[in-house]
Amino acid sequence: MRDFVREEKLFRAIGGVPEGLVEEAMEPRVPRRPRPSPIRLAAMAAAFTLVAGVGIYQILPRMGGANAGGNGIREPGSATFMSYAGPALPLTVVDGPEGLPAERKVTWDFGQTADAQANSLYAVEVTDTTVITNDGAEELNITIGYPVTASLSEQEALPTLTVNGERLETSLLWGESGSGGLWENPRLESWAQYKEALEDGSYLAEAKKEAPALEQTVTVWELTDSTAPAVDTSRMAPTLAIGFQVDEEETQVFTLGFNGGSFGENGKRQYDYFVPQKGERKQRRLLVFLGEAPKEYTMEGYENGSCEKPLEGVSAKMSAFTTTLGRLLDQLVAEELTQWQEGVQERLEGTQAAVRKMAARILAPKAEMQYNGYVLEELFSYATVAQRVVWSTGEVSIPAGESVTITACYPKKPSYDFACTADAGRQDLRGWDLGTRLGSNLAFGKITARLENCQHLELAGQNFGFELAKGVTQVELEPETDYYYMEVRLKEES
């Protein structure tokens, strides 16, 4: 059995030591159900304290996920980068008959990179045109979907769709986050992983499902009007800690706005946060109980986050209310998005649905990552910054015996290797690739690839068949070939 006092002091002092090394040095007790150690909770709190200072959307994409992806293993006949941006994927029919005849032409326009400095090739403009033919005797009314790789915080990565030159009104289908890890989602960090996720149609099928309502009743404790005495902030960081006891077999605890915490024996918990100083951003502090809420609690003030030296005059008001878990999460997501960015309405429902799906997954009885200390900031930020495949969908009518031309236009970021890579010869390379048929139920015949405004570039590797030196910038592809790639760099000045 662990010494709770010893563990508490270790937790407060441990800082950035890797969790695995710390727990390996401590004799573990056997828990009744997996739950986070104090070390893990401290790490989460430290990470989100940092995030709060610089903005959730700026730091977290670099900490993991498809954006930070590639496994570094070069697959034969493909381009693999440390940061994989995902392929240009084909249009599909989301609702309607499969196997409609189609032709496709994909253009990468490098015009905006013409004045780029070395190593600064960034997004290019992709124009992906699909012509679908209705060879039947009756008019077809279908829902089409065009997929791109994006996160819920990257609205600018989504395409504009037109049908026969007219703007198509679209809605979004957000796939599961593609960063694996804590939430056990499919990884999207290489072509092979995209193929595994999208080939059988299950990824799109999951995206089409409604998010669970999460109608379980929760009891919410909210701490407001936190106060602390005036102190020398170079020596002290006034901290408020709240303690209670729960039945860990019956109750799940979610937190929002806390900087640290500790678990003791018999369900004893303590969570703490730094009392905001004058002028600091206000933040909601919530303890959410799914199951029976504690009957009583203690509230103590301390000189700093170690919670060792008491400090008089630290207090907060406590209030409690009940609601459903789904309603609470939706409300908090809306607050979180509007706090950090403007113009979020277009992706609000997608973010709320993503958070509810993730919450349902981790609360499932057989969830591998089930534990008793859920940090809501982590769930919100992960749902927001993780890369996904997202379909822009819209209704299209095709008269009998006729065709329609559907065009998707969007900026496409490159794949690349980090500057610290051991292979210095690849630091200036940028990659773009193409999935010819992956995830689509159209019957593609002719597929064409084209490069525009590429006079300042050279191809270091490819399987398209372009020959820039000879002016061959348009090629017809083999529809049976699933994957095409190109590695691009700026020409050296002569």
Side-chain angles (χ1 to χ4, degrees):
M1 184 175 295
R2 290 183 180 177
D3 183 329
F4 175 63
V5 175
R6 177 173 66 89
E7 183 175 313
E8 166 73 2
K9 290 183 177 179
L10 177 62
F11 161 53
R12 297 293 178 186
I14 203 65
V17 179
E19 174 189 336
L21 296 180
V22 176
E23 295 201 324
E24 188 175 312
M26 300 173 64
E27 179 183 355
R29 63 183 175 89
V30 179
R32 290 171 291 180
R33 171 165 29 178
R35 59 176 184 265
S37 69
I39 311 303
R40 176 171 293 179
L41 190 55
M44 291 179 182
F48 283 101
T49 299
L50 175 62
V51 169
V54 300
I56 272 178
Y57 306 102
Q58 297 174 7
I59 187 169
L60 285 180
R62 299 300 176 194
M63 296 171 63
N67 209 28
N71 53 25
I73 301 173
R74 287 187 63 80
E75 302 163 11
S78 70
T80 298
F81 290 85
M82 295 174 67
S83 177
Y84 184 58
L89 293 166
L91 187 84
T92 190
V93 176
V94 174
D95 186 12
E98 299 183 0
L100 294 175
E103 295 185 356
R104 183 184 185 196
K105 181 178 182 179
V106 187
T107 301
W108 291 265
D109 184 350
F110 290 87
Q112 62 181 338
T113 69
D115 298 324
Q117 300 298 314
N119 300 328
S120 64
L121 280 173
Y122 197 53
V124 303
E125 286 296 319
V126 171
T127 302
D128 195 342
T129 300
T130 304
V131 178
I132 303 177
T133 299
N134 176 8
D135 56 3
E138 298 182 357
E139 181 178 76
L140 284 177
N141 295 297
I142 61 176
T143 301
I144 55 92
Y146 187 83
V148 296
T149 300
S151 76
L152 284 154
S153 62
E154 291 180 310
Q155 198 76 9
E156 68 278 3
L158 300 178
T160 299
L161 297 186
T162 60
V163 178
N164 295 334
E166 298 292 329
R167 180 75 175 262
L168 179 66
E169 183 177 342
T170 60
S171 57
L172 302 176
L173 284 177
W174 292 94
E176 296 289 351
S177 56
S179 300
L182 178 62
W183 310 109
E184 300 301 318
N185 288 330
R187 288 187 175 273
L188 298 176
E189 299 175 355
S190 69
W191 162 253
Q193 291 172 347
Y194 271 81
K195 187 174 181 179
E196 181 180 358
L198 298 176
E199 195 166 37
D200 66 358
S202 59
Y203 187 93
L204 175 57
E206 285 295 320
K208 293 167 67 174
K209 291 181 180 178
E210 292 287 335
L214 298 181
E215 296 180 343
Q216 304 97 312
T217 298
V218 292
T219 301
V220 184
W221 290 0
E222 182 162 17
L223 285 81
T224 58
D225 300 329
S226 304
T227 59
V231 297
D232 181 355
T233 55
S234 66
R235 295 178 57 251
M236 294 185 188
T239 299
L240 188 145
I242 180 169
F244 52 84
Q245 188 170 1
V246 294
D247 183 342
E248 294 179 342
E249 289 290 344
E250 303 296 334
T251 302
Q252 303 280 1
V253 182
F254 296 81
T255 67
L256 180 72
F258 287 84
N259 302 111
S262 58
F263 293 174
E265 297 298 328
N266 301 318
K268 291 181 180 178
R269 302 286 184 91
Q270 180 171 291
Y271 295 96
D272 59 80
Y273 63 91
F274 299 118
V275 177
Q277 301 298 303
K278 186 176 180 180
E280 290 184 354
R281 179 179 64 87
K282 291 185 178 180
Q283 183 178 5
R284 294 191 75 175
R285 321 280 179 183
L286 304 181
L287 290 163
V288 182
F289 302 97
L290 177 57
E292 185 176 358
K295 299 281 193 286
E296 55 188 10
Y297 63 88
T298 62
M299 196 178 294
E300 303 288 345
Y302 294 94
E303 291 186 358
N304 54 48
S306 70
C307 294
E308 293 180 345
K309 295 182 179 181
L311 179 64
E312 297 293 332
V314 179
S315 65
K317 292 182 180 179
M318 168 72 84
S319 60
F321 61 92
T322 60
T323 184
T324 67
L325 180 59
R327 191 174 298 122
L328 177 68
L329 292 177
D330 283 354
Q331 177 188 350
L332 295 176
V333 166
E335 293 175 3
E336 186 74 13
L337 288 182
T338 55
Q339 177 181 353
W340 290 104
Q341 293 185 349
E342 296 180 357
V344 300
Q345 191 61 40
E346 290 184 0
R347 65 176 182 275
L348 176 59
E349 290 185 5
T351 308
Q352 290 170 331
V355 167
R356 279 186 274 121
K357 284 183 178 181
M358 291 168 64
R361 183 179 298 111
I362 62 177
L363 288 172
K366 295 183 180 180
E368 293 183 11
M369 295 303 300
Q370 187 178 32
Y371 54 84
N372 284 10
Y374 301 104
V375 180
L376 289 178
E377 290 96 329
E378 179 178 302
L379 192 152
F380 296 158
S381 62
Y382 190 94
T384 302
V385 303
Q387 296 289 300
R388 311 163 181 271
V389 176
V390 54
W391 286 264
S392 294
T393 67
E395 306 296 324
V396 175
S397 296
I398 313 177
E402 297 187 18
S403 300
V404 295
T405 300
I406 302 168
T407 301
C409 297
Y410 60 101
K412 181 64 178 174
K413 295 179 181 179
S415 301
Y416 61 92
D417 285 337
F418 299 122
C420 60
T421 179
D423 187 353
R426 291 179 56 81
Q427 290 182 8
D428 62 345
L429 288 180
R430 299 295 182 265
W432 285 271
D433 50 359
L434 171 72
T436 55
R437 299 172 299 161
L438 181 62
S440 178
N441 53 23
L442 294 172
F444 287 104
K446 183 178 179 180
I447 300 179
T448 305
R450 178 180 174 84
L451 304 181
E452 292 185 351
N453 298 309
C454 54
Q455 301 87 341
H456 58 297
L457 305 176
E458 65 179 28
L459 295 173
Q462 58 150 331
N463 67 342
F464 282 93
F466 298 121
E467 296 184 68
L468 300 189
K470 297 181 179 181
V472 179
T473 58
Q474 179 169 308
V475 292
E476 188 170 333
L477 307 179
E478 294 291 337
E480 293 77 19
T481 300
D482 289 335
Y483 178 73
Y484 287 86
Y485 74 94
M486 56 182 161
E487 296 177 331
V488 180
R489 62 161 52 99
L490 294 172
K491 284 182 179 178
E492 293 185 5
E493 296 183 5
S494 56

